[in-house]
Amino acid sequence: MSRHNHRTMQQQSANQVRLIQSAVLCALGITVTVAAISLKGQSDPAEPTRACDLHFSNGYTLAGVPVAETVAQHTKGLSKRNDVGPGMLFTWPEPEPRIFWMRDTWIPLTIGFFDGDGRLFAIEDMQPNTDDHHASVHPAADALELPQGDFQRYGLQEGVRLTGRTCWLLDNEAMRKLEAE
């Protein structure tokens, strides 16, 4: 093989390596761009993705209550909000004793615990920015946090039952509104 052919082959090899490197970098750039675009539309996984109208045995319906169903949603709850709106329903697949606290929660709240049959069995006021524990004592399938005074305002007292829920998925705009509150 002549020197000229050897040098030409080396140049072709170097060009192929550069071409492959460029293709890999281009593909990586496209992947990062697509991932950034898809993540931009996603909201915080700690924000509720459903809301419900809650129907009670006393005839009252509480409209548009966000539902905390995941561990991340349970953990964040109503913390770091200036307005808690219609409160929040915390729900679990199985009734168990539950414990709540108010760290990083800026609004005084009241919590109500519901058993597996939907009966409200305990109501307790909670003060903002405290680590005091508020325990259900008995197994709870649901807990409802409302601004202080709302349980009384709506006639929700021990013995009232949560008789039904009309739920829907929150769209991205509704979720952004919740995040902004």
Side-chain angles (χ1 to χ4, degrees):
M1 177 184 307
S2 72
R3 275 188 174 165
H4 177 73
N5 286 344
H6 183 67
R7 184 172 284 163
T8 303
M9 287 179 66
Q10 283 179 328
Q11 287 174 342
Q12 287 175 343
S13 265
N15 287 341
Q16 287 175 342
V17 167
R18 278 192 291 265
L19 183 63
I20 290 169
Q21 287 173 336
S22 294
V24 167
L25 288 174
C26 183
L28 182 60
I30 289 170
T31 302
V32 168
T33 301
V34 168
I37 289 169
S38 65
L39 285 175
K40 185 178 178 185
Q42 291 181 349
S43 63
D44 182 352
E47 289 299 321
T49 57
R50 287 191 326 140
C52 297
D53 291 346
L54 304 178
H55 310 284
F56 296 95
S57 61
N58 68 349
Y60 190 78
T61 296
L62 187 56
V65 179
V67 181
E69 302 172 281
T70 67
V71 171
Q73 293 166 354
H74 292 154
T75 301
K76 183 172 183 184
L78 291 172
S79 66
K80 298 183 180 179
R81 297 175 193 257
N82 292 315
D83 179 2
V84 297
M88 184 171 284
L89 178 69
F90 296 78
T91 190
W92 298 270
E94 296 295 325
E96 292 181 16
R98 308 292 175 187
I99 297 175
F100 282 71
W101 59 88
M102 295 282 286
R103 179 182 299 150
D104 295 325
T105 305
W106 305 326
I107 308 289
L109 300 174
T110 301
I111 190 162
F113 294 103
F114 296 82
D115 66 18
D117 294 325
R119 185 181 60 83
L120 179 57
F121 66 84
I123 300 171
E124 187 175 347
D125 286 340
M126 303 186 296
Q127 296 308 309
N129 289 314
T130 62
D131 287 332
D132 298 343
H133 287 175
H134 304 276
S136 65
V137 182
H138 302 292
D142 298 293
L144 178 62
E145 286 184 341
L146 297 175
Q148 278 188 13
D150 281 3
F151 274 86
Q152 294 83 4
R153 184 176 296 115
Y154 306 142
L156 301 176
Q157 57 192 3
E158 290 182 24
V160 167
R161 291 188 183 278
L162 175 59
T163 57
R165 310 166 199 223
T166 306
C167 302
W168 61 91
L169 291 176
L170 293 171
D171 61 13
N172 284 337
E173 187 169 325
M175 289 173 69
R176 281 192 294 277
K177 182 180 175 197
L178 282 173
E179 290 170 357
E181 291 178 349

